[in-house]
Amino acid sequence: MGRQRRAPARSLRVEVIDGGDIEDQLVRGGFDPDTTLSMNLIQTLGRYLRADDFVLGHVSRAAHGLRLSGDLVLMRDEKLRQPIPEAVAPKLDSAAKIFAAAIAAARMQLIPERRCENAMNAMDADHAIVEARAAVERYPRSTIARTCLMRALRQAGQSAAEVLSVAQAVLAIDSTSVHALEGAALALDSLKRRGEAATMWLRLARTDTANLDLALRVTDALVRDGNAKRAEPFIAHLEAAHPKDIRVVREAWRIAFVNQSWTQAVAAGEILLARDSIARADSAFYLHLATAYHAVSKPYRAIEMLAHGVSTFPHDGQMYALYAQYIKAEADTVIPRGLALFPRSAELLALNANALRAKNDLAASLDALRRAVALDPTMTHGYLVVAQLEMELGQPDSALIALHQSVARGEDSALVAQFALAKGNALYDTATGTKTPTDFSRALQFLTFADTVHASPQSSFLVGAAALGAAQSALTQATKLTDKAESCRLAQLGADMLPLARTGLQGGQVAFADEAARSLDYVDQLDPYAGKELAAYCPKLP
């Protein structure tokens, strides 16, 4: 053991605590002087003798003499260790001299390293970094000072990549450094390098396989940062070693549910149901356990869980909604009763909308679904289903508004565009039969929206085709009317549609070369015809 002492010239020296002092303390404490020192006993002796650090050494035979190896360990943290280079010599005293010199060199980092720790305690991370780097400069093989550097970089908010680099430098010297393994794991999690992070967390757990608290901290980190699959075999090993520890069961339940390992989830969930008052007080637990039962084809157990949950948590609308979903056979009574209890439950309103649509009561279904998405605008595909119902009810203008709302609420733009394109194409087919400007214009609204949200050669071509159809029908109808004002309006509409038709058809040329070419030729033919109609029916236009 060693401790720092200040000399008169204000320099620092090491006072080595000899074996006599240690033996005296052992005898005073009632221990045999030949007792093998455990870590707890070493730390107790260190406090009495005011030691700062000690060396854990090993002696072994080498090919040409004896080998000394070991670690310099800080008394205040047994996990802060500095591996000492091996010393090999023909005789023990020669090896000891070499080893002692290596220890002295390693201790050169300790004074600035302690300043680093003090600066960190004072929340002065920048100064801590300076002191840690000075310590590493004094002893380039440093692990203890680099550990303080790693912590100071984290406290200073430096990049995860820089923290990782320091942690890796420590691990290159000491592959079992607890602090470096954890620092590297945290940095890799921040960098989203999940596979490497999981490997580092599991290496950390192997440094102390008897430490259950450490193991549970590792499982939490694995699940929290997206490595639940890697956590599954690890938690299975913990369950086998600690079958009665409720903390292990909780983690096993959590991991199994995240991984959708439903058989394991049911097994862990049933233990929690029987033994864990915390789980029984959580409404989400009943929801999740019911989901697991349903997944393993135990519907009656799922309904039992939900029925118990509805009884225990009478104000939980989500619980009641899932309960209603699981007993579809009684939906006619369950859903109305649920809506009476929870009139502002978006989930129940959506279930009711589905039930009404199944009965072909589209108007009532649309009303229920509109209220559901008003309560929960983030409902998946909510506005798209509203748009579909409105199209089925012959309300295309309202459907287009719903599509705009769907995009505004963050729905997948490609999916919304595909829906609008399909509806616009169907409306275009209708317009080619009726040949009215109104029908072509309605189709054009949907196709233009689709092309704006998610452009494609198909959407561009259909925009051009619909605009051409609108132009042709408007110019044709303009010649058949006796009302010159209406003829002027239609002639103007036809003329306005032609540039849009040209742009759209040109955008679709790559995918629809022949069709686009024929249609563009027809645009060229209509262009002068539109000019003549404007001159005839709208003489006052400039």
Side-chain angles (χ1 to χ4, degrees):
M1 294 185 183
R3 56 193 172 207
Q4 303 287 358
R5 286 289 180 267
R6 192 172 292 279
R10 300 188 64 79
S11 62
L12 290 170
R13 63 185 179 85
V14 178
E15 179 180 334
V16 178
I17 301 170
D18 64 26
D21 291 336
I22 296 173
E23 182 177 326
D24 181 56
Q25 288 296 330
L26 287 171
V27 171
R28 290 182 181 214
F31 292 95
D32 186 328
D34 293 328
T35 297
T36 300
L37 301 181
S38 67
M39 188 58 66
N40 286 338
L41 189 52
I42 289 173
Q43 290 174 331
T44 301
L45 286 168
R47 282 195 297 272
Y48 276 113
L49 298 170
R50 300 182 66 190
D52 295 309
D53 49 74
F54 60 96
V55 175
L56 283 175
H58 310 277
V59 182
S60 59
R61 292 191 179 276
H64 302 289
L66 295 171
R67 176 186 293 106
L68 290 180
S69 60
D71 299 290
L72 176 68
V73 184
L74 298 192
M75 192 66 73
R76 60 184 177 275
D77 181 358
E78 65 177 273
K79 295 181 177 65
L80 272 175
R81 301 184 175 207
Q82 174 65 58
I84 305 300
E86 291 183 347
V88 179
K91 295 183 179 180
L92 182 60
D93 57 348
S94 300
K97 287 181 181 179
I98 298 170
F99 196 60
I103 293 170
R107 295 190 85 262
M108 294 294 292
Q109 67 184 297
L110 296 186
I111 295 173
E113 189 278 337
R114 191 56 186 262
R115 291 180 186 141
C116 171
E117 291 187 20
N118 291 339
M120 283 189 64
N121 291 336
M123 302 305 293
D124 187 356
D126 291 337
H127 182 59
I129 291 170
V130 171
E131 293 293 348
R133 293 195 190 282
V136 173
E137 188 175 345
R138 285 192 181 190
Y139 187 60
R141 289 191 76 255
S142 165
T143 57
I144 295 174
R146 278 191 172 93
T147 298
C148 194
L149 175 59
M150 179 180 65
R151 289 170 166 172
L153 289 169
R154 257 199 331 255
Q155 189 182 87
Q158 297 298 314
S159 70
E162 189 170 359
V163 173
L164 177 61
S165 175
V166 177
Q168 289 172 330
V170 176
L171 293 172
I173 300 165
D174 180 5
S175 63
T176 63
S177 169
V178 170
H179 295 297
L181 287 168
E182 183 168 9
L186 290 169
L188 288 165
D189 277 334
S190 297
L191 294 168
K192 306 300 181 187
R193 290 159 62 177
R194 291 190 174 91
E196 296 170 81
T199 299
M200 208 62 70
W201 282 117
L202 293 171
R203 280 178 60 184
L204 175 62
R206 288 194 293 272
T207 62
D208 189 354
T209 55
N211 189 337
L212 181 57
D213 289 334
L214 173 62
L216 291 171
R217 189 153 58 85
V218 166
T219 60
D220 178 68
L222 289 171
V223 178
R224 187 180 62 246
D225 289 295
N227 281 305
K229 289 292 183 185
R230 296 285 296 275
E232 196 159 352
F234 182 66
I235 198 65
H237 174 75
L238 283 185
E239 281 187 288
H242 307 276
K244 295 184 179 180
D245 195 301
I246 200 67
R247 296 173 300 165
V248 176
V249 180
R250 286 178 190 146
E251 284 299 299
W253 157 256
R254 177 188 177 197
I255 291 166
F257 191 84
V258 170
N259 289 337
Q260 297 185 4
S261 299
W262 300 120
T263 301
Q264 293 89 329
V266 166
E270 288 179 339
I271 295 173
L272 294 178
L273 188 65
R275 294 178 46 202
D276 189 10
S277 60
I278 294 175
R280 291 195 299 270
D282 182 5
S283 62
F285 171 72
Y286 290 93
L287 283 168
H288 294 163
L289 185 52
T291 302
Y293 276 129
H294 187 74
V296 296
S297 300
K298 293 184 177 181
Y300 294 110
R301 288 289 287 154
I303 292 172
E304 181 186 356
M305 282 300 100
L306 290 170
H308 184 77
V310 168
S311 174
T312 307
F313 306 96
H315 302 296
D316 192 319
Q318 188 179 7
M319 181 82 69
Y320 198 99
L322 191 58
Y323 174 62
Q325 188 176 354
Y326 278 12
I327 51 175
K328 292 179 180 178
E330 299 179 59
D332 286 345
T333 58
V334 172
I335 292 176
R337 189 165 66 244
L339 285 171
L341 290 169
F342 312 107
R344 294 183 61 77
S345 169
E347 293 89 349
L348 283 173
L349 284 165
L351 282 175
N352 193 36
N354 288 336
L356 290 167
R357 187 176 184 186
K359 296 176 183 178
N360 207 32
D361 191 349
L362 299 184
S365 175
L366 176 58
D367 179 66
L369 191 57
R370 278 176 174 165
R371 285 187 288 149
V373 295
L375 288 167
D376 182 11
T378 64
M379 184 179 294
T380 304
H381 307 329
Y383 283 103
L384 280 179
V385 180
V386 167
Q388 176 62 39
L389 285 168
E390 287 170 334
M391 291 297 293
E392 291 175 20
L393 287 166
Q395 302 171 12
D397 293 339
S398 297
L400 192 58
I401 292 171
L403 292 178
H404 279 280
Q405 290 172 320
S406 182
V407 172
R409 295 296 182 180
E411 188 72 72
D412 180 8
S413 60
L415 181 64
V416 176
Q418 184 180 10
F419 180 96
L421 189 65
K423 299 306 176 187
N425 197 16
L427 290 169
Y428 173 70
D429 287 341
T430 300
T432 57
T434 62
K435 299 190 183 303
T436 65
T438 301
D439 288 342
F440 277 113
S441 295
R442 182 171 290 121
L444 186 59
Q445 286 180 305
F446 279 80
L447 295 169
T448 302
F449 173 79
D451 192 58
T452 302
V453 172
H454 194 82
S456 68
Q458 185 183 8
S459 62
S460 293
F461 176 80
L462 286 173
V463 166
L468 178 57
Q472 181 185 8
S473 63
L475 293 172
T476 301
Q477 282 198 16
T479 63
K480 298 178 180 180
L481 300 177
T482 57
D483 184 343
K484 286 195 173 183
E486 182 62 12
S487 293
C488 175
R489 186 189 70 80
L490 289 170
Q492 186 70 62
L493 173 64
D496 291 343
M497 287 290 111
L498 289 175
L500 180 59
R502 191 185 305 279
T503 302
L505 292 168
Q506 288 172 344
Q509 277 182 310
V510 174
F512 306 93
D514 293 337
E515 298 91 334
R518 285 194 296 270
S519 297
L520 284 167
D521 286 343
Y522 192 48
V523 170
D524 291 337
Q525 295 171 29
L526 283 179
D527 210 8
Y529 183 71
K532 291 178 182 179
E533 283 202 1
L534 284 173
Y537 299 121
C538 309
K540 294 182 180 179
L541 290 177

